[in-house]
Short mmCIF file of all heavy atoms in Angstrom, two decimals:
data_model
loop_
_atom_site.label_atom_id
_atom_site.label_comp_id
_atom_site.label_asym_id
_atom_site.label_seq_id
_atom_site.Cartn_x
_atom_site.Cartn_y
_atom_site.Cartn_z
N VAL A 498 158.10 194.39 129.31
CA VAL A 498 156.67 194.35 129.69
C VAL A 498 156.49 193.34 130.85
O VAL A 498 155.75 193.55 131.82
CB VAL A 498 155.78 193.94 128.46
CG1 VAL A 498 154.37 193.59 128.93
CG2 VAL A 498 155.76 194.99 127.48
N ILE A 499 157.12 192.11 130.77
CA ILE A 499 157.07 191.15 131.81
C ILE A 499 157.60 191.72 133.08
O ILE A 499 156.99 191.62 134.19
CB ILE A 499 157.81 189.86 131.40
CG1 ILE A 499 157.19 189.24 130.16
CG2 ILE A 499 157.82 188.85 132.58
CD1 ILE A 499 158.00 188.11 129.61
N GLN A 500 158.77 192.39 132.98
CA GLN A 500 159.39 193.02 134.17
C GLN A 500 158.48 194.09 134.74
O GLN A 500 158.42 194.38 135.98
CB GLN A 500 160.74 193.60 133.82
CG GLN A 500 161.75 192.51 133.53
CD GLN A 500 163.06 193.06 132.99
OE1 GLN A 500 163.15 194.21 132.60
NE2 GLN A 500 164.08 192.23 132.97
N ALA A 501 157.74 194.84 133.84
CA ALA A 501 156.90 195.91 134.26
C ALA A 501 155.82 195.42 135.28
O ALA A 501 155.59 196.07 136.27
CB ALA A 501 156.25 196.58 133.04
N PHE A 502 155.20 194.28 134.95
CA PHE A 502 154.21 193.73 135.81
C PHE A 502 154.82 193.22 137.10
O PHE A 502 154.20 193.28 138.15
CB PHE A 502 153.37 192.69 135.10
CG PHE A 502 152.35 193.23 134.15
CD1 PHE A 502 152.66 193.44 132.83
CD2 PHE A 502 151.12 193.70 134.62
CE1 PHE A 502 151.71 193.96 131.90
CE2 PHE A 502 150.17 194.23 133.81
CZ PHE A 502 150.49 194.38 132.41
N GLY A 503 156.06 192.55 136.97
CA GLY A 503 156.72 192.08 138.19
C GLY A 503 157.03 193.28 139.13
O GLY A 503 156.83 193.18 140.34
N PHE A 504 157.55 194.37 138.56
CA PHE A 504 157.82 195.53 139.39
C PHE A 504 156.61 196.22 139.87
O PHE A 504 156.64 196.77 141.00
CB PHE A 504 158.72 196.49 138.60
CG PHE A 504 160.15 196.10 138.48
CD1 PHE A 504 160.77 196.00 137.21
CD2 PHE A 504 160.93 195.72 139.57
CE1 PHE A 504 162.10 195.65 137.05
CE2 PHE A 504 162.25 195.31 139.40
CZ PHE A 504 162.83 195.32 138.20
N PHE A 506 153.70 194.81 140.79
CA PHE A 506 153.20 194.11 141.99
C PHE A 506 154.30 194.09 143.07
O PHE A 506 153.99 194.11 144.25
CB PHE A 506 152.79 192.68 141.63
CG PHE A 506 151.56 192.64 140.80
CD1 PHE A 506 151.63 192.34 139.47
CD2 PHE A 506 150.31 192.99 141.39
CE1 PHE A 506 150.48 192.26 138.69
CE2 PHE A 506 149.19 192.93 140.55
CZ PHE A 506 149.25 192.63 139.21
N GLY A 507 155.57 193.99 142.63
CA GLY A 507 156.65 193.92 143.63
C GLY A 507 156.88 195.22 144.40
O GLY A 507 156.96 195.28 145.63
N GLY A 533 150.34 190.41 146.58
CA GLY A 533 151.22 190.84 145.48
C GLY A 533 151.82 189.66 144.76
O GLY A 533 151.92 189.65 143.53
N PHE A 534 152.20 188.61 145.45
CA PHE A 534 152.83 187.44 144.87
C PHE A 534 151.89 186.72 143.93
O PHE A 534 152.25 186.47 142.73
CB PHE A 534 153.29 186.50 145.88
CG PHE A 534 153.92 185.18 145.38
CD1 PHE A 534 155.23 185.16 144.95
CD2 PHE A 534 153.12 184.02 145.34
CE1 PHE A 534 155.73 183.96 144.42
CE2 PHE A 534 153.60 182.86 144.81
CZ PHE A 534 154.92 182.84 144.35
N CYS A 536 148.98 187.67 142.64
CA CYS A 536 148.50 188.51 141.51
C CYS A 536 149.60 188.58 140.36
O CYS A 536 149.27 188.56 139.14
CB CYS A 536 148.22 189.96 141.98
SG CYS A 536 146.69 190.11 142.89
N ALA A 537 150.82 188.63 140.76
CA ALA A 537 151.92 188.72 139.80
C ALA A 537 151.99 187.39 138.97
O ALA A 537 152.24 187.45 137.79
CB ALA A 537 153.26 188.98 140.50
N PHE A 538 151.86 186.30 139.64
CA PHE A 538 151.96 184.97 138.99
C PHE A 538 150.79 184.86 137.94
O PHE A 538 151.04 184.45 136.78
CB PHE A 538 151.82 183.85 139.98
CG PHE A 538 152.19 182.49 139.36
CD1 PHE A 538 153.47 182.03 139.37
CD2 PHE A 538 151.16 181.71 138.79
CE1 PHE A 538 153.82 180.81 138.77
CE2 PHE A 538 151.50 180.47 138.23
CZ PHE A 538 152.81 180.05 138.22
N LEU A 539 149.56 185.33 138.31
CA LEU A 539 148.48 185.25 137.39
C LEU A 539 148.69 186.16 136.18
O LEU A 539 148.35 185.87 135.00
CB LEU A 539 147.17 185.60 138.11
CG LEU A 539 146.73 184.59 139.17
CD1 LEU A 539 145.52 185.13 139.92
CD2 LEU A 539 146.33 183.27 138.48
N ALA A 540 149.25 187.35 136.46
CA ALA A 540 149.52 188.32 135.37
C ALA A 540 150.51 187.71 134.40
O ALA A 540 150.37 187.85 133.19
CB ALA A 540 149.96 189.59 135.91
N GLY A 541 151.56 187.10 134.90
CA GLY A 541 152.57 186.44 134.08
C GLY A 541 151.98 185.37 133.23
O GLY A 541 152.39 185.16 132.07
N LEU A 542 151.10 184.61 133.82
CA LEU A 542 150.43 183.53 133.06
C LEU A 542 149.64 184.02 131.86
O LEU A 542 149.68 183.46 130.77
CB LEU A 542 149.54 182.72 134.02
CG LEU A 542 149.03 181.36 133.51
CD1 LEU A 542 150.22 180.41 133.26
CD2 LEU A 542 148.10 180.75 134.58
N ILE A 544 150.27 186.80 130.25
CA ILE A 544 151.30 187.28 129.25
C ILE A 544 151.75 186.10 128.44
O ILE A 544 151.87 186.19 127.21
CB ILE A 544 152.43 187.96 129.98
CG1 ILE A 544 151.98 189.30 130.57
CG2 ILE A 544 153.57 188.22 128.95
CD1 ILE A 544 153.03 189.96 131.43
N GLY A 579 158.57 181.59 130.49
CA GLY A 579 158.99 181.88 131.83
C GLY A 579 158.35 183.14 132.51
O GLY A 579 158.67 183.52 133.64
N ALA A 580 157.37 183.73 131.81
CA ALA A 580 156.78 184.97 132.28
C ALA A 580 156.14 184.89 133.70
O ALA A 580 156.40 185.73 134.55
CB ALA A 580 155.71 185.47 131.32
N PRO A 581 155.39 183.82 134.05
CA PRO A 581 154.80 183.74 135.42
C PRO A 581 155.89 183.65 136.49
O PRO A 581 155.75 184.22 137.54
CB PRO A 581 154.04 182.48 135.38
CG PRO A 581 153.75 182.15 133.96
CD PRO A 581 154.96 182.66 133.19
N PHE A 582 157.00 183.00 136.15
CA PHE A 582 158.10 182.83 137.15
C PHE A 582 158.93 184.07 137.26
O PHE A 582 159.42 184.45 138.33
CB PHE A 582 158.93 181.61 136.81
CG PHE A 582 158.13 180.37 136.63
CD1 PHE A 582 157.76 179.93 135.34
CD2 PHE A 582 157.72 179.65 137.71
CE1 PHE A 582 157.02 178.75 135.19
CE2 PHE A 582 156.97 178.49 137.57
CZ PHE A 582 156.63 178.06 136.32
N MET A 583 159.06 184.81 136.15
CA MET A 583 159.81 186.02 136.21
C MET A 583 159.08 187.14 136.99
O MET A 583 159.64 187.83 137.86
CB MET A 583 160.05 186.59 134.75
CG MET A 583 160.95 187.82 134.76
SD MET A 583 161.14 188.58 133.06
CE MET A 583 161.83 187.24 132.18
N THR A 584 157.71 187.27 136.73
CA THR A 584 156.98 188.27 137.48
C THR A 584 156.93 188.01 138.94
O THR A 584 157.14 188.87 139.80
CB THR A 584 155.49 188.35 136.96
OG1 THR A 584 154.94 187.04 136.97
CG2 THR A 584 155.51 188.94 135.55
N SER A 585 156.66 186.69 139.39
CA SER A 585 156.58 186.42 140.79
C SER A 585 157.93 186.44 141.42
O SER A 585 158.03 186.72 142.64
CB SER A 585 155.89 185.05 140.96
OG SER A 585 156.41 184.08 140.10
N SER A 586 159.03 186.10 140.70
CA SER A 586 160.39 186.24 141.30
C SER A 586 160.66 187.67 141.59
O SER A 586 161.28 187.97 142.67
CB SER A 586 161.42 185.66 140.30
OG SER A 586 161.26 184.27 140.16
N LEU A 587 160.31 188.56 140.71
CA LEU A 587 160.53 189.98 140.98
C LEU A 587 159.78 190.46 142.20
O LEU A 587 160.23 191.33 142.99
CB LEU A 587 160.14 190.87 139.74
CG LEU A 587 161.07 190.74 138.55
CD1 LEU A 587 160.52 191.35 137.34
CD2 LEU A 587 162.41 191.37 138.90
N VAL A 588 158.58 189.92 142.42
CA VAL A 588 157.80 190.28 143.63
C VAL A 588 158.54 189.79 144.86
O VAL A 588 158.73 190.58 145.83
CB VAL A 588 156.36 189.69 143.58
CG1 VAL A 588 155.66 189.83 144.87
CG2 VAL A 588 155.56 190.35 142.44
N LEU A 589 158.95 188.57 144.93
CA LEU A 589 159.66 188.01 146.05
C LEU A 589 160.93 188.82 146.32
O LEU A 589 161.27 189.17 147.48
CB LEU A 589 159.98 186.59 145.84
CG LEU A 589 158.86 185.57 145.92
CD1 LEU A 589 159.34 184.17 145.52
CD2 LEU A 589 158.26 185.52 147.28
#
Side-chain angles (χ1 to χ4, degrees):
V498 171
I499 298 171
Q500 291 172 347
F502 282 95
F504 284 127
F506 291 107
F534 175 83
C536 283
F538 191 89
L539 293 173
L542 195 59
I544 292 172
F582 305 99
M583 187 187 298
T584 52
S585 47
S586 291
L587 286 169
V588 170
L589 289 174

